[in-house]
């Protein structure tokens, strides 16, 4: 029988999976011992997706032996929220945790700029890692991670959940079937609304020293989809970006929403203490500000914001595909649209375009459902449109999926990791360290391009050299 450590070595590549109720016996030792897991970082994503959801769905095959967070109040609250049990150790020091535990798997969900610290320390101690995207925030940290994986011979998996959404998968299937022939160019636009988009500028993400800018934190999701859909790797990036909507505004006198002098007039006012849906944020963040001073409801117009709120990229791929990408962070509605131009036609795909939908959900409610990890949510149907050259009629393919859990991607990603890592992966949904690096390197190159005014070659950033076709 395969032991736990052999199992975790085998999941460096994640294949497509489905929800099954039977436990993952291959991940257990012959005496039935569960996989030992440590979570580092107990913020929003750590608590819900990598914490509570694992306990709810996979507690027959794994158990949390420790939680780590620099804030003692947050880590204590997380223990109760996640439901880890009294035997789970709680630590504010990663090194202290390692003195008492030797887990099979470490999950990293800390601020982006610190991912490399925990990834490298875990690998050095012979422990496999699952990390939230982005894998890291600059080229030097990226090279250090790449070197550590080679040196210590352990695995790094990046949690790219959007690859697992049925809608994104259908796009991949159609492109793989050469339905529009060889792809020559792509136009990709992603819109964040004034609820979700604003939240990044309210949080630590608004400072590049923590997030690497949204080109790294947020767009790495989108760049990974592009790399996967095109089955190629980026070669060169030229970008423009600016901050002109959020950020410094001398007229705003409040430190955060709770202390603001414009509570009654600011359309961005958010009462984190109002209970209801935000009770979680009050208990996790507000009640524990006294330990580290972190404010979850920071002012969107504070002078410390130093990221971009509008971004445009021109990406040349190693297979000579040209891609244009635009991210807007203050759109009236949230969604995305993409068009692939091929030698035999054009494929268009889009999600959550309000004037093309009969759905009457508010933007806030739509985002809440999408982020929910509470099981089945709202069913949605979105079309994919195929235009063939010289054909008078277009083909419309309707895709049905559940919009909760990032369009159904969250559940499928975790099911594959913890239930069926051995299944084949014909459409390359797998995301290991190279995929994580290539997606983040586009954002890093874009940031460097904006600052230098010049195009940046991906191969100049780390030892990784782009491939015309992904392996």
């Amino acid at each position: 029988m395969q032991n736990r450590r052999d199992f975790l070595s085998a999941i460096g590549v994640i294949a497509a999976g489905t929800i099954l109720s039977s436990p993952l016996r291959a991940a257990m030792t012959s005496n039935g011992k569960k996989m030992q897991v440590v979570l580092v970082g107990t913020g929003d994503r750590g608590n819900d997706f990598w914490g509570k959801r694992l306990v709810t769905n996979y507690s027959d095959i794994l158990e949390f032996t420790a939680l780590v967070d620099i804030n003692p109040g947050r880590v204590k609250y997380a223990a109760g929220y996640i439901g880890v049990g009294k035997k789970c150790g709680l630590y504010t020091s990663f090194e202290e945790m390692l003195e008492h535990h030797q887990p099979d798997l470490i999950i990293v969900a800390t601020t982006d700029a610190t991912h490399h610290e925990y990834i490298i320390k875990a690998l050095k101690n012979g422990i496999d890692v699952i990390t939230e995207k982005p894998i890291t925030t600059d080229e030097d940290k990226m090279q250090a991670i790449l070197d550590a994986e080679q040196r210590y011979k352990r695995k790094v998996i990046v949690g790219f959940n959007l690859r697992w959404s049925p809608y994104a998968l259908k796009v991949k299937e159609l492109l793989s079937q050469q339905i529009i022939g060889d792809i020559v160019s792509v136009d990709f636009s992603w819109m964040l609304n004034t609820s979700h988009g604003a939240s990044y500028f309210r949080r630590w993400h608004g400072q590049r020293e923590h997030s690497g800018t949204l080109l790294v934190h947020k767009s790495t999701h989108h760049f990974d989809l592009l790399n996967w859909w095109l089955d190629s790797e980026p070669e060169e990036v030229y970008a423009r970006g600016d901050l002109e909507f959020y950020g410094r505004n001398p007229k705003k006198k409040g430190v955060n929403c709770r202390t603001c002098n414009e509570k009654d007039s600011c359309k961005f006012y958010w009462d984190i203490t109002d209970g209801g849906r935000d009770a979680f944020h009050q208990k996790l963040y507000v009640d524990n500000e006294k330990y580290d001073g972190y404010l979850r409801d920071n002012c969107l117009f504070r002078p410390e914001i130093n990221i971009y709120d509008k971004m445009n990229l021109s990406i040349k791929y190693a297979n000579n595909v040209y891609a244009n990408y635009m991210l807007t962070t203050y759109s009236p509605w949230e969604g995305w649209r993409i068009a692939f131009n091929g030698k035999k036609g054009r494929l268009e795909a889009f999600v959550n375009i309000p004037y093309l939908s009969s759905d009457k959900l508010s933007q806030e409610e739509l985002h809440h459902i999408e982020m929910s990890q509470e099981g089945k949510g709202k069913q949605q149907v979105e079309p994919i449109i195929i235009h063939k050259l010289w054909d008078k009629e277009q083909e419309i393919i309707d895709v049905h999926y559940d919009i909760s859990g990032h369009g159904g991607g969250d559940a499928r990603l975790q099911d594959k990791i913890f239930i069926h890592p051995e299944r084949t992966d014909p459409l390359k949904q797998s995301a290991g360290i190279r995929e994580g690096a290539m997606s983040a390197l586009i954002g890093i190159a874009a940031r460097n391009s904006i600052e230098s005014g010049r195009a940046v070659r991906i191969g100049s950033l780390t030892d990784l050299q782009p491939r015309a076709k992904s392996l």
Side-chain angles (χ1 to χ4, degrees), residues 368-411:
H368 173 69
I369 295 173
E370 182 187 7
M371 298 297 292
S372 173
Q373 299 294 333
E374 298 173 356
K376 287 193 174 183
K378 180 176 176 54
Q379 296 297 307
Q380 186 153 306
V381 181
E382 296 282 12
I384 296 173
I385 302 174
I386 309 296
H387 305 256
K388 295 287 187 67
L389 294 183
W390 302 291
D391 283 359
K392 293 183 179 180
E393 299 292 333
Q394 70 266 22
E395 179 183 2
I396 299 177
I397 301 169
D398 287 330
V399 183
H400 298 251
Y401 64 97
D402 188 328
I403 65 175
S404 65
H406 288 94
D410 286 349

Side-chain angles (χ1 to χ4, degrees), residues 97 112 175 287 289 306 316 426 453:
M97 179 278 294
D112 300 344
L175 295 176
D287 292 353
E289 288 172 359
N306 57 4
K316 179 185 180 295

Side-chain angles (χ1 to χ4, degrees), residues 183-204:
I183 300 168
V184 295
S185 64
V186 184
D187 187 33
F188 193 11
S189 296
W190 202 290
M191 284 65 67
L192 297 173
N193 64 27
T194 50
S195 174
H196 185 198
S199 73
Y200 290 110
F201 295 83
R202 187 174 280 125
R203 295 178 276 166
W204 54 262

Side-chain angles (χ1 to χ4, degrees), residues 49-163:
F49 182 60
W50 292 115
K52 189 173 184 178
R53 194 176 191 285
L54 293 192
V55 170
T56 299
N57 293 283
Y58 310 105
S59 59
D60 50 353
I61 59 175
L62 61 81
E63 63 183 352
F64 284 95
T65 56
L67 303 180
V68 184
D69 195 288
I70 58 173
N71 186 306
R74 277 203 303 269
V75 76
K76 184 177 180 181
Y77 173 76
Y81 180 84
I82 295 171
V84 294
K86 295 181 179 179
K87 292 183 179 180
C88 182
L90 306 181
Y91 300 91
T92 56
S93 164
F94 188 77
E95 288 73 19
E96 184 183 358
M97 179 278 294
L98 287 175
E99 292 176 4
H100 297 91
H101 302 273
Q102 183 64 23
D104 302 305
L105 178 68
I106 284 176
I107 300 173
V108 178
T110 59
T111 53
D112 300 344
T114 64
H115 284 182
H116 70 293
E117 298 176 21
Y118 303 109
I119 292 171
I120 293 171
K121 288 174 184 177
L123 297 175
K124 186 176 182 179
N125 283 271
I127 307 167
D128 293 310
V129 180
I130 295 175
T131 182
E132 260 296 311
K133 58 79 192 166
I135 190 169
T136 192
T137 55
D138 67 44
E139 56 267 49
D140 294 333
K141 294 172 182 177
M142 186 75 74
Q143 187 63 61
I145 293 172
L146 294 169
D147 292 343
E149 194 201 34
Q150 287 295 309
R151 182 180 303 121
Y152 301 117
K153 307 301 180 185
R154 305 310 309 174
K155 296 295 181 181
V156 179
I157 298 167
V158 185
F160 284 127
N161 50 344
L162 293 189
R163 288 184 176 211

Side-chain angles (χ1 to χ4, degrees), residues 80-375:
Y81 180 84
I82 295 171
V84 294
K86 295 181 179 179
K87 292 183 179 180
C88 182
L90 306 181
Y91 300 91
T92 56
S93 164
F94 188 77
E95 288 73 19
E96 184 183 358
M97 179 278 294
L98 287 175
E99 292 176 4
H100 297 91
H101 302 273
Q102 183 64 23
D104 302 305
L105 178 68
I106 284 176
I107 300 173
V108 178
T110 59
T111 53
D112 300 344
T114 64
H115 284 182
H116 70 293
E117 298 176 21
Y118 303 109
I119 292 171
I120 293 171
K121 288 174 184 177
L123 297 175
K124 186 176 182 179
N125 283 271
I127 307 167
D128 293 310
V129 180
I130 295 175
T131 182
E132 260 296 311
K133 58 79 192 166
I135 190 169
T136 192
T137 55
D138 67 44
E139 56 267 49
D140 294 333
K141 294 172 182 177
M142 186 75 74
Q143 187 63 61
I145 293 172
L146 294 169
D147 292 343
E149 194 201 34
Q150 287 295 309
R151 182 180 303 121
Y152 301 117
K153 307 301 180 185
R154 305 310 309 174
K155 296 295 181 181
V156 179
I157 298 167
V158 185
F160 284 127
N161 50 344
L162 293 189
R163 288 184 176 211
W164 301 83
S165 166
Y167 188 82
L169 179 59
K170 189 63 179 179
V171 173
K172 175 66 172 178
E173 288 175 352
L174 293 169
L175 295 176
S176 298
Q177 293 165 7
Q178 288 276 297
I179 196 166
I180 58 169
D182 293 336
I183 300 168
V184 295
S185 64
V186 184
D187 187 33
F188 193 11
S189 296
W190 202 290
M191 284 65 67
L192 297 173
N193 64 27
T194 50
S195 174
H196 185 198
S199 73
Y200 290 110
F201 295 83
R202 187 174 280 125
R203 295 178 276 166
W204 54 262
H205 307 74
Q207 294 172 247
R208 67 172 57 195
E209 57 267 32
H210 301 311
S211 67
T213 76
L214 290 182
L215 286 166
V216 179
H217 173 80
K218 181 64 178 176
S219 296
T220 188
H221 255 325
H222 314 156
F223 300 147
D224 177 66
L225 284 175
L226 264 179
N227 296 348
W228 177 54
W229 281 329
L230 296 176
D231 198 22
S232 187
E233 294 178 341
E235 188 173 77
E236 187 176 84
V237 177
Y238 179 75
R240 294 184 185 275
D242 210 342
L243 176 67
E244 60 184 22
F245 188 82
Y246 302 108
R248 180 185 292 274
N249 186 334
K251 296 180 181 180
K252 307 291 183 180
K253 302 300 183 182
V255 174
N256 58 356
C257 280
R258 280 168 286 158
T259 63
C260 186
N261 63 331
E262 296 184 34
K263 291 182 181 180
D264 297 330
S265 59
C266 181
K267 292 184 179 299
F268 289 100
Y269 173 64
W270 173 46
D271 186 359
I272 195 174
T273 66
D274 74 348
R277 186 179 298 169
D278 290 324
F280 168 75
H281 290 113
Q282 158 123 16
K283 294 175 182 177
L284 183 62
Y285 293 110
V286 177
D287 292 353
N288 298 302
E289 288 172 359
K290 57 182 178 287
Y291 296 108
D292 61 5
Y294 176 63
L295 301 177
R296 181 60 176 76
D297 60 338
N298 264 313
C299 181
L300 296 165
F301 306 102
R302 65 193 187 280
E304 293 82 8
I305 293 176
N306 57 4
I307 65 173
Y308 316 112
D309 56 22
K310 70 172 185 179
M311 294 139 273
N312 176 246
L313 278 65
S314 176
I315 309 167
K316 179 185 180 295
Y317 277 81
N319 64 356
N320 207 39
V321 171
Y322 294 175
N324 180 65
Y325 169 83
M326 174 75 79
L327 177 65
T328 301
T329 60
Y330 41 89
S331 171
W333 51 268
E334 179 150 342
W336 57 269
R337 62 194 327 162
I338 191 166
F340 298 88
N341 298 303
K343 293 182 177 180
K344 295 181 180 179
R346 177 179 171 97
L347 183 150
E348 297 182 12
F350 42 85
V351 168
N352 292 336
I353 310 300
Y355 49 83
L356 299 177
S357 173
S358 60
D359 204 325
K360 301 303 181 184
L361 287 174
S362 69
Q363 289 292 302
E364 292 78 8
E365 187 66 22
L366 188 67
H367 180 63
H368 173 69
I369 295 173
E370 182 187 7
M371 298 297 292
S372 173
Q373 299 294 333
E374 298 173 356

Side-chain angles (χ1 to χ4, degrees), residues 3-19:
N3 63 36
R4 291 172 294 148
R5 201 161 293 284
D6 288 340
F7 162 75
L8 287 161
S9 293
I11 61 173
V13 175
I14 309 170
T18 55
I19 300 174

